[in-house]
């Protein structure tokens, strides 16, 4: 008699976006999931273990099996990562910060899970992109997340000009990010490139005690001093 192994479920487990009490920003469903899941695909093992311990200090770290998924991971490893799911074990997918699968390498695992008929269970948690958009006062009906802009100054200026033009033509807020240590330079470049009347939202350290979110015209930002160095930041522009 042939038996069929039931597939496990892939839980998309959000994490905090910095040092704060996890239960201030994560719902109980996250804790309940971590309570019974021992297999995880994570972006960074050290921060993942810290996140798991923060949510459930009683969880035995020695019982955890973590697979690291980052820019160095080869595509051929992905199938090995999801073997526990194929064997009927539930797994958690965790980003280094915020929601997995969004601006995060975990999206490839979610895609693979769908291809293999594995149920994907997204859990509620903090998304810096959505929270910034909510707090910006810009067009929540139409917006685009553009990820990272080019590093080279000329290409970056062109990209900013194009996003500004799109925002006006489509009435669509344009969201983007930068590596935190280059945030101050990004702000400088934004203010040099866009029209003084264009609105800019800066959302920094979202959900943390040092949270700072403000929307003003570019001309007003030029009169404002703010230090964004090494602080996770979302930028949104919209020429209205």
């Amino acid at each position: 008699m042939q038996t069929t192994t039931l597939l496990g479920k892939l839980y998309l487990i959000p994490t905090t976006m910095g040092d704060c009490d996890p239960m201030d920003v994560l719902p109980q469903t996250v804790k309940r999931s971590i309570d019974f899941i021992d297999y995880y695909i994570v972006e960074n093992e050290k921060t993942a273990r810290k996140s798991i311990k923060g949510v459930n200090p009683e969880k035995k770290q020695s019982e955890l099996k973590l697979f690291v998924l980052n820019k160095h991971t080869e595509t051929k490893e992905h199938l090995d990562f999801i073997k526990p799911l194929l064997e009927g074990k539930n797994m958690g997918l965790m980003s280094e910060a915020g929601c997995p699968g969004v601006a995060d390498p975990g999206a490839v695992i979610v895609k693979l899970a769908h291809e293999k008929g594995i149920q994907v269970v997204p859990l509620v948690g903090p998304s810096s992109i959505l929270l910034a958009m909510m707090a910006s006062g810009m067009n929540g009906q139409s917006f685009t997340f553009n990820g990272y802009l080019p590093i080279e100054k000329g290409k970056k200026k062109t990209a900013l000009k194009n996003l500004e033009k799109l925002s006006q033509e489509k009435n669509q807020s344009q969201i983007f990010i930068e590596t935190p240590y280059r945030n101050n330079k990004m702000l400088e470049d934004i203010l040099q490139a866009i029209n003084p009347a264009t609105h800019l939202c800066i959302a920094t350290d979202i959900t943390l005690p040092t949270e700072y979110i403000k929307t003003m015209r570019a001309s007003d930002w030029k009169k404002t001093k703010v230090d964004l160095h090494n602080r996770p930041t979302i930028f949104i522009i919209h020429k209205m």
Side-chain angles (χ1 to χ4, degrees):
M1 181 177 176
Q2 188 176 12
T3 59
T4 302
T5 303
L6 294 175
L7 298 174
K9 296 179 182 179
L10 178 64
Y11 289 79
L12 309 187
I13 301 176
T15 61
T16 61
M17 294 188 288
D19 288 328
C20 64
D21 185 340
M23 292 300 98
D24 282 347
V25 294
L26 300 175
Q28 285 296 318
T29 50
V30 171
K31 182 182 185 304
R32 288 197 294 269
S33 298
I34 286 176
D35 287 347
F36 70 80
I37 295 174
D38 293 326
Y39 293 82
Y40 295 86
I41 299 171
V42 304
E43 191 174 358
N44 181 292
E45 182 171 352
K46 183 178 179 180
T47 55
R49 288 185 178 277
K50 181 180 178 181
S51 295
I52 292 168
K53 185 175 182 179
V55 173
N56 182 353
E58 306 303 318
K59 189 85 173 178
K60 293 183 180 179
Q61 294 283 322
S62 60
E63 295 180 356
L64 299 178
K65 178 62 177 176
L66 273 57
F67 303 87
V68 177
L69 174 72
N70 56 34
K71 62 183 180 180
H72 303 295
T73 306
E74 295 185 21
T75 303
K76 63 183 180 182
E77 297 179 72
H78 297 168
L79 195 57
D80 288 335
F81 287 0
I82 69 165
K83 277 185 179 177
L85 288 166
L86 299 174
E87 294 169 353
K89 299 179 179 68
N90 294 314
M91 295 191 75
L93 176 66
M94 301 177 73
S95 175
E96 192 167 359
C99 295
V102 180
D104 170 75
V108 297
I109 297 298
V110 178
K111 180 177 181 290
L112 184 58
H114 284 297
E115 291 172 355
K116 297 297 181 182
I118 294 164
Q119 183 178 348
V120 176
V121 184
L123 300 181
V124 175
S127 165
S128 59
I129 298 167
L130 186 56
L131 292 172
M133 193 64 235
M134 289 166 58
S136 70
M138 297 184 185
N139 189 2
Q141 296 289 344
S142 180
F143 54 89
T144 297
F145 175 63
N146 298 279
Y148 293 93
L149 302 190
I151 295 176
E152 195 274 317
K153 188 166 184 176
K155 292 180 180 178
K156 184 192 299 181
K157 181 179 180 180
T158 299
L160 285 165
K161 287 287 190 183
N162 288 338
L163 292 181
E164 183 181 41
K165 184 180 179 182
L166 273 175
S167 72
Q168 185 176 39
E169 290 178 347
K170 295 188 175 183
N171 188 25
Q172 184 181 75
S173 301
Q174 302 295 323
I175 310 170
F176 51 94
I177 55 177
E178 178 58 285
T179 305
Y181 72 86
R182 289 200 291 258
N183 279 337
N184 285 335
K185 185 66 171 65
M186 171 59 86
L187 177 56
E188 180 184 321
D189 291 340
I190 293 170
L191 297 180
Q192 288 179 0
I194 65 176
N195 188 285
T198 295
H199 285 80
L200 166 66
C201 175
I202 295 176
T204 299
D205 290 345
I206 297 173
T207 73
L208 304 182
T210 52
E211 180 179 87
Y212 176 88
I213 304 174
K214 197 168 187 64
T215 298
M216 295 190 293
R217 296 180 188 276
S219 57
D220 294 319
W221 277 114
K222 289 181 179 180
K223 307 171 191 173
T224 304
K225 289 186 178 180
V226 57
D227 185 8
L228 306 176
H229 184 65
N230 278 342
R231 301 170 68 187
T233 299
I234 297 285
F235 299 94
I236 312 176
I237 59 173
H238 198 147
K239 187 174 183 181
M240 303 178 189

